[in-house]
Amino acid sequence: MTLILDPDPAVPVVSAQLWVETGSLHEGAILGSGVSHFLEHMVFKGGGEFGADELATVVQAAGGHWNAYTTFDRTVYYIDGPASGLETFLKVLAAMVFAPAIPEEEFEKEKDVIRREIDMGLDDPDDVASRLMFSTAFAADPRRHPVIGHRALFDAIRYEDLTGYHRSRYTPDRCCLCIAGDFDAEVMRESIQALFGKFARGTGAEPVVPQDGVQLGPRRGRASFAVPASRISLAWKIPPLGHPDVPAYDLAAAVLGRGRSARLYRRLREERELALEISAWSWSQAGRDGLFAVSAEVEPEKRDELVGAILRELADFPSSVLDDELAKARRQIAASQFKTLTSVSGRATDLASNWHEARDLDFTRRYLAALNATTAADVRRAMARLTEDQLTLTTLDPEDAPPSASLRPNVRQRPEPECVTLPNGAVIALLPDHRVPVFAAQVAVRAGLVSEIPENAGLNTLLASTLPQGTIRRSAAELAGLLESHGATLGAASGNNALLAQLSGLSPDLSTLLPLFSEVLAEPAFHGDSIQREKASQMASLRESLEDPLSTAFRLARHHLFDGSGYGLPSLGSEESLTKLDRFALSAHHSRHFQGSNLVLALAGDFDPGHAREVLAEGIGRLPEGTPWIPPAVATTGDFEIEAFLPKKQAVLTLAYPGCSALAPERFALRMIQEWCSDMAGPLFTRIREDLGLAYQVGATQFHGHDTGFFGFYMATDPSQVDLAQRELSSEIAKIAEQGIPEEAFERVRATVLSSLAIGMQSPASIARLSAIDVLFGLGVTHHRELAGIFQALTPGEVKAAAGSLLGSTPVVVRVLPREATH
């Protein structure tokens, strides 16, 4: 077994990842069955000294956050959590991966769970479009099969197939254990030898894995789906990782389709308005052909014109001037890589991936060097090979649409945060951290969903998407080009209680980027063409959400719980309200809310506080002081039962209760209840999913409001079992209302919450976001650092009281059922 250790005492957090070099490529005689993914599920049923329920409780008690995933060529098990839990995490990984129980009595029950997961994928247009593209591009290569498997082949898996696959593939010589974070390497080597050294090497025999031959002509695939817009993909085979042309394709993909200033986005979405969304990407694996692709969403009537326009752009690409755009692409890729390395989980993934793909822990650095050495001539030569004869074109159309016509940081001491109030009332929170040369600025503005009425629903979402689309001084293309030439990202989003805008970039560029951010906030242009494009994209998202069972369930639950106003409005708006929104509405909303007295900006990362104060005072200080915006009072109603019907395979159930405010003392107890209800060791998962096999997806979610929030339970189940599922869910909720969290589980839940807090405070972007929202609600700039102590002081009695208060009312119940279902 390969062992990779990356000790770093900067934060008391670790990530332990066990990579098994087996995936859907390696399924041999039962290729396409999804047995690799099935085995990933089954090893969580206990192993070694741990029983079926003990794995989850032990991990939770140690504060661990665990999960796994299966891809074409790997299965990865990982646990992130506090450094104090590392020994426990390794014991669990050793037991579940190399000595799993794989109980036969759980075999058929877990099969039913995965069948629901397969159904969920077949209900997801992105999943369906991806399957269509891979199955068309690859003819013999096993990647033509979905990792989760085809339903018929999955149904045919026998218990002996599963256990035999484990014996042959889950062997130490096919595994890499990577640990990053706060630990002693010498001590850890001894522990790992004791835990893993007893497992036997495998036979070394490998299944025959076919590869595609040379593609001799274009390939096309088409399917229809309940979507409002077509999804198209144009893909070409490219060489495996390690070929000198691979960096050229990565750079070309960034030039063509990475960001708002990318060629395809700028020319085909912004200027010609052919695409609703468009991007380009390059994907390579070691030893196997990869793909270079352009993916887009487009209105069906513009689909064929867009395909032609994309092909012309690619045909013209080799003869175009590239030097400036390649420099920007290199900066973008470097910035993205640096951001990945800000967390222990990201560093562990980077190292393990390097070993898995290249057997070279330094492969990331070598690859970035190869990118820097790739010339414009190299890119032109590589792109000239992407001819129409080698094209794979796939289209997922609406059901009524006609067919187509044809890197690692240095650890330094972090200075203490500080808050500054500008003369115009804006509050600036500064949180320096010099470990990685990046920064993030987060603005929080009092507005959000609660500031809307039914007639202008969707206004905040549209304002957020339009805000970065140019300023009075610069066009959208100029703004995007300037940002992306510095490897920076700027975006905005709308929440329940606030409008949020975030900028991130490399620290040497702070003096250039922060004034640009202030310009976007103070002087947005709201160009009519930008508004129309973003409205079209938002309308497409709205229509798609109306066809999604879980989105529909939550939309109806919120609507009835909040009596159709405030938090009860759909964040994307309605077709009627979205149609009416215009430049005047956006400008008026911006003028009312983007005022100093309504705004907090938090800056986190690598910067000089004195210099940052000067730059922000000059930029954010230009906003008018204004008057504080006071959110309206929220009224709630209950005792509703609603049914809705969609042409889907799954049923979704939600139960919604009035939650608490953002400053309510019980919010910490409710966080514990949410974790208890969402965790794999909690009552909903163990009773409804594991014991009864009623649901693939079950859990709880919440948000806090200015005065009243939302707390909801949800589950996805088989339509024939929805009545039983609702009774069982209601029964478990009643137990929680009466008993709270049992004392034997309380410390496990607390450990998970505390671990989640620590993991969520690693990157500058997350720190800036937490601080901006806290200060907006009147809390201190270091409130996020106080949370661990608050949760440590919570008692089971306090949580029980909060549970009883929360769940004492009659909820709003929503059932979303397949249209053909009868009850």
Side-chain angles (χ1 to χ4, degrees), residues 648-720:
K648 303 292 182 180
K649 298 179 183 296
Q650 61 181 315
V652 170
L653 174 71
T654 62
L655 281 72
Y657 296 83
C660 72
S661 74
L663 299 179
E666 64 268 23
R667 68 188 186 276
F668 307 107
L670 295 189
R671 171 71 183 272
M672 294 279 286
I673 295 169
Q674 181 189 357
E675 180 62 41
W676 173 234
C677 294
S678 301
D679 193 84
M680 293 170 66
L684 304 188
F685 190 92
T686 55
R687 172 62 179 168
I688 295 173
R689 187 188 188 279
E690 295 292 283
D691 295 348
L692 300 176
L694 288 175
Y696 170 72
Q697 189 178 38
V698 62
T701 185
Q702 67 170 328
F703 69 80
H704 300 149
H706 285 283
D707 49 11
T708 303
F710 173 95
F711 198 104
F713 298 87
Y714 61 90
M715 65 185 302
T717 187
D718 187 283
S720 64

Side-chain angles (χ1 to χ4, degrees), residues 711-734:
F711 198 104
F713 298 87
Y714 61 90
M715 65 185 302
T717 187
D718 187 283
S720 64
Q721 297 178 309
V722 68
D723 293 325
L724 174 60
Q726 181 174 341
R727 288 196 299 272
E728 290 294 334
L729 180 58
S730 297
S731 173
E732 291 302 316
I733 293 172

Side-chain angles (χ1 to χ4, degrees), residues 6 8 180-181 340-352 408-409:
D6 179 30
D8 182 357
T340 299
L341 299 173
T342 60
S343 70
V344 294
S345 178
R347 292 200 299 276
T349 299
D350 181 70
L351 289 168
R408 190 182 303 180

Side-chain angles (χ1 to χ4, degrees), residues 242-442:
H243 190 282
D245 282 348
V246 170
Y249 287 118
D250 284 348
L251 288 170
V255 169
L256 285 166
R258 183 168 181 163
R260 295 177 179 272
S261 66
R263 289 193 184 187
L264 298 181
Y265 188 95
R266 187 177 72 249
R267 295 177 182 178
L268 303 186
R269 185 185 188 273
E270 300 291 291
E271 296 174 8
R272 298 182 58 182
E273 300 185 355
L274 290 178
L276 296 170
E277 300 294 339
I278 190 166
S279 62
W281 49 274
S282 177
W283 171 69
S284 299
Q285 288 187 287
R288 295 188 165 270
D289 287 344
L291 291 174
F292 180 96
V294 176
S295 300
E297 291 185 39
V298 58
E299 293 167 351
E301 60 270 20
K302 297 180 180 180
R303 178 196 56 206
D304 294 350
E305 185 182 359
L306 177 61
V307 170
I310 292 171
L311 292 173
R312 284 190 292 275
E313 288 287 342
L314 293 177
D316 294 339
F317 188 87
S319 61
S320 63
V321 177
L322 290 174
D323 290 345
D324 290 344
E325 290 173 290
L326 290 179
K328 178 183 71 174
R330 293 187 187 99
R331 195 85 175 213
Q332 289 176 312
I333 294 170
S336 177
Q337 185 63 36
F338 280 134
K339 292 172 188 175
T340 299
L341 299 173
T342 60
S343 70
V344 294
S345 178
R347 292 200 299 276
T349 299
D350 181 70
L351 289 168
S353 178
N354 284 347
W355 183 258
H356 177 81
E357 297 287 359
R359 292 299 191 264
D360 176 12
L361 296 180
D362 209 23
F363 180 70
T364 295
R365 185 186 63 80
R366 298 184 198 281
Y367 192 68
L368 289 174
L371 285 172
N372 287 331
T374 300
T375 66
D378 297 329
V379 176
R380 292 190 181 96
R381 184 179 61 255
M383 291 299 289
R385 298 192 178 105
L386 305 185
T387 65
E388 287 193 52
D389 290 341
Q390 304 299 310
L391 168 66
T392 294
L393 172 63
T394 59
T395 307
L396 185 67
D397 282 328
E399 292 173 335
D400 57 350
S404 174
S406 53
L407 299 160
R408 190 182 303 180
N410 292 322
V411 178
R412 303 179 185 176
Q413 186 67 34
R414 289 183 294 175
E416 283 301 306
E418 60 177 302
C419 260
V420 177
T421 301
L422 300 181
N424 66 349
V427 178
I428 307 299
L430 302 173
L431 303 101
D433 181 353
H434 302 299
R435 289 178 298 157
V436 181
V438 295
F439 74 90
Q442 175 76 62

